[in-house]
Structure formats: structure tokens, C-alpha cells
Amino acid sequence: MDNFRKMWTELGMDLELHDQLIQDMSSLHKKTHLSQQNRPKTMDRFDRSFHSSHSGRVAEILEFRKNGGKMIGTFCIFVPDEIALAAGVLPLPLCGGSGWAVSYADKLFPRDICPLIRSTFGMALSKTCPYASLEDFAVGETTCDAKKKTWDLLGMKVMEVPQRRNEADRNLWLEEVYRFKGMVEELSGITVTADGLLETIKLVNQKRSALQQIDEFRKLDAPPISGLDALLVAQVSMNQDIHAFIKDTQALIEELQERVDKGISAYSEQGKKILLAGSPSPMGYAKVHHIVENSGLQIVADESCTGLRYFRDLVNEDLNDLDEMMKAVADRYFGIDCACFSPNSERIENIQKLIKDYNVKGVVQSILQYCHTYNVEAKIVEKSLKKIGIPSIKIVTDYSQEDIGQIRTRIEAFAELLMD
Amino acid sequence: MDNFRKMWTELGMDLELHDQLIQDMSSLHKKTHLSQQNRPKTMDRFDRSFHSSHSGRVAEILEFRKNGGKMIGTFCIFVPDEIALAAGVLPLPLCGGSGWAVSYADKLFPRDICPLIRSTFGMALSKTCPYASLEDFAVGETTCDAKKKTWDLLGMKVMEVPQRRNEADRNLWLEEVYRFKGMVEELSGITVTADGLLETIKLVNQKRSALQQIDEFRKLDAPPISGLDALLVAQVSMNQDIHAFIKDTQALIEELQERVDKGISAYSEQGKKILLAGSPSPMGYAKVHHIVENSGLQIVADESCTGLRYFRDLVNEDLNDLDEMMKAVADRYFGIDCACFSPNSERIENIQKLIKDYNVKGVVQSILQYCHTYNVEAKIVEKSLKKIGIPSIKIVTDYSQEDIGQIRTRIEAFAELLMD
């Protein structure tokens, strides 16, 4: 631990505030994940990875950078990992999930933008983000107004995610993916080759496949892993070293299979199966998942960016030519059913399919406050669910703890409604 | 008046609620515009046009439609008037400025989106918008998250405004302008020709030139027209028949010249010159303008969409070829310095130029609540102003009257600071 304190000091961090942040995150993790009764044993690996995200993982990256490695910060699942990795650059998602950090963003941002952005930059501004001085640069994107203008404010590099799904949009996005390739190649001095890209495509596919496999278990009558833990696995997947993560998921998948064979469920009681939809839940944030599963409901699918939206689709591996691979990568990301697209009927269709595949009985839309895209789209989702007789509830919330009682009351009423 | 009541009934409107809306709008107009001391006489024409926007103007459009004319509703200055008009289609901006209507939107929208959208659709939902049943269709755009997702919710036609200013964006936008041409041609059955488009380019240029000429007078030491009245003229320009509007502005320009010759100012006292920046002020909304000018300050320039952003640039008229004209139209709109662009350095440069040209001593940033783009960009504007020693203040507000006292206090303090 002393070594880490030395490292944090060298990274220019505020140790006192950072202690507060870590304490806050650990205490929340204890109250949510660790308070569950029937966890798979292997989850302790992911608990450790969660805790090491500000310590051991930072030390790894520091070492990687000392040996000439390059790292970029990202804030969205639209930034293509495969291409960064193929240029020898480590892409690290830096979206903040800590409510503790939010108020530190007030000197830079209006208060009425989403807690995700405020938490992310609240950590940077309070000198409690260990990655702030580690990244070579950060790459933003144009998926929402508040993020888009934040990149302008900070003078950051930006990838333009188009807003519609026409041919011109697809072309623009492909150009952006090439431009991104140029950025990371310039940073590392390593040119992306067909062989190199194919290798990283396969590697990232392997990671997403592992997440898919874990999700498959959640389709069962008695899921061997909770929605809260599946969220933690997805959150960790965005921070941990990809090889180590794949290894840990293999162990988890083995244990989940054993549990299924022995008839061990993650839930001690029967409960209605729920789809969680809406805004992402970055590492450190699991408020709605926790409340929902504490109310006797089972989150068996999560279609957010920290759920299926991140790992639903793989990149076609059956290619030899670099340009074809670039196009395949671009296509895979262009298919993400983000609410930034107008219209976004793909998402409505995906949700309908999930409801069948996961035998879902109700939907909880978890919307981060001031996230206009998911908040307005929630009306479209609600309407489409009504048509097929699936009850849904929309929770608009932030990272604070103050509305927990109120949300619990609403979710419990929703759970009762589902029991009828 | 009885004729209008008959017309409103035939349009399916709620007469009782509409009476309330009209009373609210008239009473506000009296308190703000009509309470000014030194108004140009010609402003009574624009007062009339303001009042007729729900009566005489509607009757005109009804007549136009009876004779086969087509009308489309628009919500943004990115939708190119020139092209609609060249296809014989009347484009009518429908952005609501009435605080009265806002709460009627609550059944459709989240409360935490901007009052402009809520007012617009609050009027439609409360059956107090006479245009709702008059438009053949409405064309939205992708300039902000809340509007973009509103179009999805309502299944509307959408023009994609790109988010950056690269070549791929310019190409995408040109395609969108062609797509819009197709939409209006299909609606009217009239094909846009080079001659036809050149004529409407000249016509719209004439309207924007008139607005520019009025603005020129505001550069003088003693402006013959107030910022509040200049705003009304701009608001009316988006509703009134274009020919009638140009005629009225010619009369106003003549009177303004006379006033200048006689040394008549719109302001009875000396006051510091202010630039108003930020979100638009649609017809019916003049809260911040009113408070600022009532605090002894003079708004001599307004860079918003209901100000210079609407009429700063003309379309090149020196062309013969239809495709060249289409490109010229697209280029003109692509140059709009909207906060939807990332980055939007053009706007910062334009503001700096305005400050010199209009001898501005302070800037009021008027931001509609939950308008993330202008709200976050306000920080960039503020920073750029600090560098050149121009004080600025940011007012985040909605269409309600409740925060008037608070805003007045802040603006008065700002005015005192400028006097020092």
C-alpha cells in the first residue's frame, strides 16, 4: 500500500481526497455487491480488479508506459479498441461512476449536465483520477451535447459519431475510424497492419464473447449470477488488462456452469425477470441495479453501454485485407444502438428481442439525470413495451444517495405490480 | 374577431385555452415592448404582426392552402427557406416562446428539457397552436439532443446537421439539402429550377439584408431602436409574409434614418452597450432582453438565432447553375455558428468581431435551461471574453416569470460593475 501512496504522489494526486474517494467507493461496494448472499466465488477476482483500478492497474500502466507504451483515455464505447490496440496503444475508458467526485466538477461545468461527465472531470479536477496524468491524450466523441461541448471546452480530440444511419453517415463514420487510426499510429509510431488488426479484432472479440457467454447463463430459470455481479464484470472489462480479464472470465464461466449443474442460483428467492435499459452505469455506480435486485426482482439483461450494447456485436474475423477489416470494424460500431441516432428503431427491435430471449417480465429504464437522449427515447421505449404488454418504469436519477428511499418505494410498487 | 373565432374552431383549437394564451402573450407584450418610452412609430406595424400571428396571418395561410399552397413547420434556422420557397412551399418556424404553454407538454416530455421545445409542443398539445393542423409536415433537425429525440418521438422528417466542419460533414450536409429539396418538391409537385431558386435566394437575401440594415443603426452612439424592438422585428421576420415584412422594414429603416438625422435615440439615458449571446428568444419571449434594457443597459447586438445568427450571412447570388446554387445555399447554412458544432471557434471569432464593430462593453449570455450546447459553450465564450477584458454574465433561465426578481438583481449588479 505504501508503494501505491508513493505512486499516487508521483502522479500529482491529492492523497487526502483520494483516500476519501476510495473509502466512499469501497463502502458502496460493500453495501451493494458484497452484501449479496449467493455470489459465485470467482467474483472475488472481479472485486479485486475493481479495487485495483486505482492501484495495481495504475501501476501496470505506469510500467507499460515506462517501457514506451502509450495510453489514451476514452469516454464512450464508440471509440474502437481494436484499432488502438493494433497500433500498440492502450485505450482506457475513463467514465466516472463516483458520486463523491461530482461536486468537484462545479467549477468547470454547469450543474445541470449528467453526473457521468461531472464525476469523470470531478475526479480529474480534485486530483483523484490516477489516469489523468497517464494518458497521452483523450479521445471524445459526439454522442451527446454535454460530452460534445465538454471536448470543446477542454480542447480534446474528437471522433464524430453521425446522427443518422444513411449511407452518407456510414461514409462519414468510416472516415472517422480511419482518422482515429491515424491518431493512434502517430502517437505510437506503429503502423496498423492487416495481421496486427486481425489479431486485435480476434482478441477483442474473445473478450466480448466471454461477456456474451456469461450473459447466456442469465437466460436460465435460475440464473447463477446476479445482475449486480454481471454489471461488475462488464465494468471491470473496461479497465482490467484484456488478457487477465479473459482469463478471469473463463474461471467465472466454469464456476457458473458448475453452479447450474448443481442447481445453485444467485437469487435465494424466485423473482420476476427484469431488463435494465437506458444510460450506462460506469464503475462505482450500481445504485439502480442494487435497489432493483434488493426488491426481489432479477436483472437478467442489461441493454446499456455497460451491458449488451458493449458486447452484443463482434467484428467479422473472416477477412484478409486491411481496408476490409477497417470497414468491418467501422460497421460493427456503426451498428451500436445508441440513443444518439435519429431514429433509433434498431434499439426498439433489440429490446423486443431481449424480452423474448431472456423471458423478461418487466423493464426498468434507468436514466441518468439530464441525459436528454435516453430520457426522451424512454417514451418511445415505453410505448413499444405497452404494445406487447410489458410493464415498465422509468427512474431518472444521479449518483447521489439521497433519492434511494424514493426509488426503492417506486421499485417495490413496480415489483408488486409484476407479481399480480 | 368573430371570424377568427370561427377559424380557430374550424382548426380544431381549444378556444378557451387559446384565449388564455393570447391574453398572456398580450399582457407580456404590453409590459415589455409597449412600456418603452422612445419607440419608432413604425414599430406599431410589428406589434400588429406579432398580434396577428395567431389570427390574420393564420387566415392568410389558410387562404394560401385553399388555393393549393403547401406549408411546412420548421424549428430551426438550419432549414433552408430559399429551397422551400423555390418549390412553392411556405416554411414557417414554429418555435414556441410562450411560458403559458410549457406545462401542457408534461404529458409528452420530461420536464428537464428546454422550455422552447416544451412551449412549442405544449401549444400543440393544448390545441392552442393554429398551425398544428395547417402544416403539411414538419421538418426537424439534429442540432440538439432534446430536439433530435423529439422528432423521433413524433416520427417527424429530419434534416441531419453534422457536428463538425470537416469535408465529410460538408458533403453530408449538401446531401441533406438535396434531400430537403426532394421533400418539398414531392410535397408541392413543383420542381425547383435555377431561375426559381435564384429568385427565392434574392428574396430571402433581401429580407436578411433589411435586418442587417436595421442592425447597422445599432452601431451608432445613440441607437434609434432598442434591443427589445430589434428582437421583435427579428421574431416577426420568421412569421410574417416575406413581402409584407420587407415592406414594413423599409418603412422602419426610413424612420430610423430620420431619427438619426434628428438625433433621436431609443434610450432616454446613456447606457453601456451590451451584446446578447446564447440561446434563441422565440416570439413571445423577451424576458432577458427586457430586464437588461430596464437596468439601464443597451442591447446593441444579439448574436443568437433570433438575431445575427439568422441574418448575418447571405447566399451568393452570382450563379446560374442549379447545382452551384444548391451548393451556395448549403454553404451559407453550413457557416451558421451554432453551438451544435464541435469545435465552434467561428462563433468565438464572430463574437470578438461584434464587440469591436458594435463597441460593446459587456456581454449577457442568455441560456435557456437544459440547453447543454450553449450552456457548456458559455464557458468557452466567457474565457475568450476575459482575455480581451470584456465582462460577461451568464443567465440560465426558462420562460417562467418567477426568477425575474433574481435576474434583475444580478443584471443590475452587472450594470454597476460596467459603470466603474
Side-chain angles (χ1 to χ4, degrees):
Chain A
M1 203 60 187
D2 276 355
N3 278 344
F4 291 138
R5 296 190 80 79
K6 193 165 161 267
M7 174 182 78
W8 292 328
T9 308
E10 283 169 9
L11 289 171
M13 291 167 65
D14 184 322
L15 286 200
E16 202 178 317
L17 286 183
H18 189 246
D19 284 348
Q20 287 178 28
L21 170 73
I22 293 298
Q23 203 177 341
D24 189 75
M25 302 273 276
S26 299
S27 128
L28 266 178
H29 189 70
K30 203 177 275 179
K31 269 191 234 166
T32 53
H33 293 84
L34 302 186
S35 72
Q36 296 173 103
Q37 296 301 317
N38 302 313
R39 296 183 88 199
K41 278 202 191 78
T42 317
M43 281 311 298
D44 62 5
R45 296 196 188 195
F46 298 92
D47 293 332
R48 274 201 300 276
S49 294
F50 166 75
H51 287 297
S52 103
S53 66
H54 275 220
S55 52
R57 180 62 177 139
V58 178
E60 272 175 28
I61 293 172
L62 206 55
E63 190 61 26
F64 168 72
R65 295 195 75 237
K66 272 182 190 155
N67 295 322
K70 303 292 180 184
M71 184 203 116
I72 57 170
T74 67
F75 305 91
C76 181
I77 61 169
F78 268 102
V79 179
D81 286 353
E82 295 85 348
I83 291 171
L85 291 169
V89 172
L90 175 69
L92 207 82
L94 294 181
C95 288
S98 152
W100 176 90
V102 162
S103 65
Y104 287 95
D106 287 353
K107 50 184 158 183
L108 190 59
F109 296 107
R111 276 164 186 254
D112 46 9
I113 62 169
C114 89
L116 191 159
I117 299 173
R118 293 174 72 213
S119 174
T120 305
F121 293 96
M123 280 170 68
L125 289 167
S126 60
K127 298 185 179 175
T128 57
C129 174
Y131 300 103
S133 61
L134 275 182
E135 65 190 11
D136 287 285
F137 57 73
V139 181
E141 23 49 53
T142 59
T143 49
C144 76
D145 289 344
K147 283 206 283 176
K148 175 168 72 178
K149 299 314 290 183
T150 295
W151 318 145
D152 293 355
L153 187 58
L154 302 174
M156 275 169 47
K157 292 181 192 293
V158 177
M159 284 187 85
E160 180 174 6
V161 177
Q163 305 181 82
R164 289 174 60 83
R165 286 201 182 88
N166 297 329
E167 208 45 39
D169 300 289
R170 193 179 285 277
N171 295 338
L172 185 145
W173 174 241
L174 183 60
E175 278 193 33
E176 288 296 283
V177 172
Y178 271 99
R179 206 165 56 81
F180 176 69
K181 175 169 155 284
M183 281 183 218
V184 286
E185 285 179 334
E186 196 189 327
L187 174 63
S188 67
I190 296 170
T191 304
V192 173
T193 62
D195 285 350
L197 185 54
L198 187 61
E199 199 178 305
T200 59
I201 285 174
K202 285 180 178 169
L203 181 64
V204 178
N205 276 353
Q206 208 185 334
K207 172 180 168 177
R208 298 197 214 264
S209 297
L211 287 160
Q212 287 174 0
Q213 276 176 272
I214 294 166
D215 244 44
E216 279 298 310
F217 289 105
R218 300 168 74 190
K219 290 181 181 169
L220 300 173
D221 278 347
I225 182 167
S226 68
L228 197 56
D229 277 339
L231 172 64
L232 180 63
V233 174
Q235 289 169 338
V236 164
S237 80
M238 298 185 189
N239 179 268
Q240 196 183 0
D241 170 72
I242 188 165
H243 300 284
F245 176 79
I246 291 170
K247 214 169 143 188
D248 284 349
T249 50
Q250 295 315 334
L252 178 61
I253 290 165
E254 275 170 38
E255 188 189 354
L256 294 181
Q257 187 56 56
E258 279 169 28
R259 282 163 71 94
V260 170
D261 296 341
K262 292 183 188 157
I264 304 172
S265 166
Y267 304 100
S268 45
E269 290 171 44
Q270 283 282 5
K272 294 289 177 184
K273 287 170 181 282
I274 293 294
L275 164 68
L276 196 117
S279 311
S281 306
M283 198 188 270
Y285 179 73
K287 184 165 84 173
V288 176
H289 288 72
H290 175 61
I291 298 172
V292 170
E293 297 213 314
N294 245 260
S295 305
L297 298 169
Q298 303 178 355
I299 297 174
V300 295
D302 176 341
E303 63 92 50
S304 77
C305 301
T306 40
L308 279 152
R309 192 161 294 122
Y310 178 60
F311 56 81
R312 178 189 287 121
D313 299 313
L314 305 184
V315 178
N316 182 4
E317 295 180 0
D318 242 6
L319 299 166
N320 302 308
D321 177 72
L322 181 61
D323 285 327
E324 278 179 14
M325 287 179 203
M326 288 294 291
K327 202 174 160 302
V329 170
D331 279 350
R332 186 259 165 213
Y333 285 85
F334 194 67
I336 295 175
D337 60 350
C338 174
C340 69
F341 285 110
S342 166
N344 190 25
S345 43
E346 285 78 356
R347 180 165 175 239
I348 305 304
E349 287 159 23
N350 285 334
I351 288 177
Q352 303 260 345
K353 192 171 177 309
L354 282 179
I355 286 168
K356 274 191 202 160
D357 292 352
Y358 289 77
N359 195 21
V360 161
K361 300 301 178 199
V363 175
V364 175
Q365 297 202 63
S366 169
I367 311 289
L368 288 178
Q369 203 175 16
Y370 309 127
C371 172
H372 294 335
T373 53
Y374 281 102
N375 199 0
V376 180
E377 191 158 291
K379 290 275 178 183
I380 305 173
V381 172
E382 189 195 329
K383 230 159 105 182
S384 73
L385 293 173
K386 255 193 193 148
K387 270 190 199 158
I388 54 167
I390 295 288
S392 73
I393 183 172
K394 184 176 88 166
I395 305 290
V396 178
T397 184
D398 57 18
Y399 290 176
S400 74
Q401 300 292 304
E402 284 137 33
D403 58 356
I404 284 185
Q406 196 195 4
I407 297 174
R408 193 183 302 278
T409 307
R410 290 189 61 210
I411 293 288
E412 282 171 356
F414 182 65
E416 271 182 43
L417 179 139
L418 292 181
M419 296 302 167
D420 294 343
Chain B
M1 202 60 188
D2 275 356
N3 278 343
F4 291 139
R5 296 190 81 79
K6 192 165 163 267
M7 173 182 79
W8 293 328
T9 308
E10 283 168 8
L11 289 171
M13 291 167 64
D14 184 322
L15 286 201
E16 201 178 319
L17 285 183
H18 189 246
D19 284 348
Q20 286 177 29
L21 170 74
I22 292 298
Q23 203 176 339
D24 188 74
M25 302 274 277
S26 298
S27 128
L28 266 179
H29 189 70
K30 203 177 275 177
K31 269 191 235 167
T32 53
H33 294 84
L34 302 186
S35 73
Q36 296 173 101
Q37 295 303 317
N38 302 311
R39 297 184 88 199
K41 279 202 191 79
T42 318
M43 281 310 300
D44 62 5
R45 296 196 187 193
F46 298 92
D47 293 331
R48 276 201 298 275
S49 294
F50 166 76
H51 287 298
S52 103
S53 66
H54 274 219
S55 52
R57 180 63 177 139
V58 178
E60 272 175 27
I61 293 172
L62 207 55
E63 191 60 29
F64 168 73
R65 295 194 76 238
K66 272 182 192 156
N67 295 322
K70 302 291 180 185
M71 184 203 117
I72 56 170
T74 66
F75 305 90
C76 182
I77 60 168
F78 268 101
V79 179
D81 286 352
E82 294 85 349
I83 291 170
L85 291 169
V89 172
L90 176 68
L92 207 83
L94 294 181
C95 289
S98 152
W100 177 88
V102 162
S103 64
Y104 288 95
D106 287 353
K107 51 184 155 182
L108 190 59
F109 295 106
R111 276 165 186 253
D112 46 9
I113 64 169
C114 90
L116 191 159
I117 299 173
R118 293 174 72 213
S119 174
T120 305
F121 293 96
M123 281 170 67
L125 289 167
S126 61
K127 298 185 179 175
T128 57
C129 174
Y131 300 103
S133 61
L134 275 183
E135 66 188 11
D136 288 283
F137 56 75
V139 181
E141 23 50 52
T142 60
T143 49
C144 75
D145 289 344
K147 283 205 286 176
K148 176 168 71 178
K149 298 316 289 184
T150 295
W151 318 145
D152 293 356
L153 187 59
L154 302 174
M156 276 169 45
K157 292 182 192 290
V158 176
M159 285 187 85
E160 180 175 6
V161 177
Q163 305 181 82
R164 290 174 58 83
R165 286 203 182 87
N166 296 331
E167 207 47 38
D169 301 290
R170 192 180 287 276
N171 295 339
L172 186 146
W173 175 241
L174 183 60
E175 278 193 34
E176 287 297 282
V177 172
Y178 271 100
R179 206 164 57 81
F180 176 70
K181 174 170 157 284
M183 283 184 217
V184 285
E185 284 178 335
E186 197 189 326
L187 173 63
S188 66
I190 296 172
T191 305
V192 172
T193 62
D195 285 350
L197 185 53
L198 187 61
E199 198 177 307
T200 58
I201 285 174
K202 284 182 179 168
L203 181 65
V204 179
N205 277 352
Q206 207 184 335
K207 172 181 168 178
R208 298 197 214 265
S209 297
L211 287 160
Q212 288 174 359
Q213 276 175 272
I214 293 166
D215 245 43
E216 278 298 310
F217 288 106
R218 299 168 74 192
K219 291 182 180 169
L220 300 174
D221 279 346
I225 182 167
S226 68
L228 198 56
D229 276 339
L231 172 65
L232 181 64
V233 174
Q235 288 169 337
V236 164
S237 80
M238 297 186 190
N239 179 267
Q240 196 182 0
D241 170 73
I242 187 164
H243 301 283
F245 176 78
I246 291 170
K247 214 168 142 189
D248 284 349
T249 51
Q250 294 315 335
L252 178 61
I253 290 164
E254 274 171 37
E255 188 191 352
L256 293 181
Q257 187 55 54
E258 279 170 28
R259 282 163 71 94
V260 170
D261 295 342
K262 291 183 190 158
I264 303 172
S265 166
Y267 303 101
S268 45
E269 287 170 47
Q270 283 283 1
K272 293 289 177 183
K273 287 170 182 281
I274 293 294
L275 164 68
L276 196 117
S279 311
S281 305
M283 199 188 269
Y285 179 73
K287 184 165 84 171
V288 177
H289 287 73
H290 175 62
I291 297 172
V292 170
E293 296 211 317
N294 245 260
S295 305
L297 297 169
Q298 303 179 354
I299 297 175
V300 294
D302 177 340
E303 63 91 53
S304 78
C305 301
T306 39
L308 279 152
R309 193 162 295 124
Y310 177 61
F311 57 81
R312 178 190 286 120
D313 299 313
L314 306 183
V315 178
N316 182 5
E317 296 180 359
D318 243 5
L319 300 166
N320 302 307
D321 176 72
L322 181 61
D323 285 328
E324 279 179 14
M325 286 178 204
M326 288 294 289
K327 201 173 161 302
V329 170
D331 279 349
R332 186 258 166 214
Y333 284 84
F334 193 67
I336 294 175
D337 59 350
C338 174
C340 69
F341 285 109
S342 166
N344 190 26
S345 42
E346 286 76 356
R347 181 165 174 238
I348 304 303
E349 286 159 23
N350 284 334
I351 288 177
Q352 302 261 344
K353 192 171 177 311
L354 282 180
I355 285 168
K356 274 190 203 162
D357 292 353
Y358 289 76
N359 195 20
V360 162
K361 300 302 179 198
V363 174
V364 175
Q365 296 202 64
S366 170
I367 311 290
L368 289 178
Q369 205 175 14
Y370 309 127
C371 172
H372 295 334
T373 52
Y374 281 102
N375 199 0
V376 180
E377 190 159 291
K379 290 275 179 183
I380 305 174
V381 172
E382 189 194 329
K383 229 159 106 183
S384 73
L385 293 173
K386 254 191 193 150
K387 270 191 200 157
I388 55 166
I390 296 288
S392 73
I393 184 172
K394 184 176 87 167
I395 305 291
V396 179
T397 184
D398 58 17
Y399 289 176
S400 74
Q401 300 292 303
E402 285 138 32
D403 57 356
I404 283 185
Q406 196 195 3
I407 297 175
R408 192 182 302 278
T409 307
R410 291 190 59 210
I411 292 288
E412 283 172 355
F414 182 65
E416 269 181 46
L417 178 139
L418 291 181
M419 296 303 167
D420 293 342

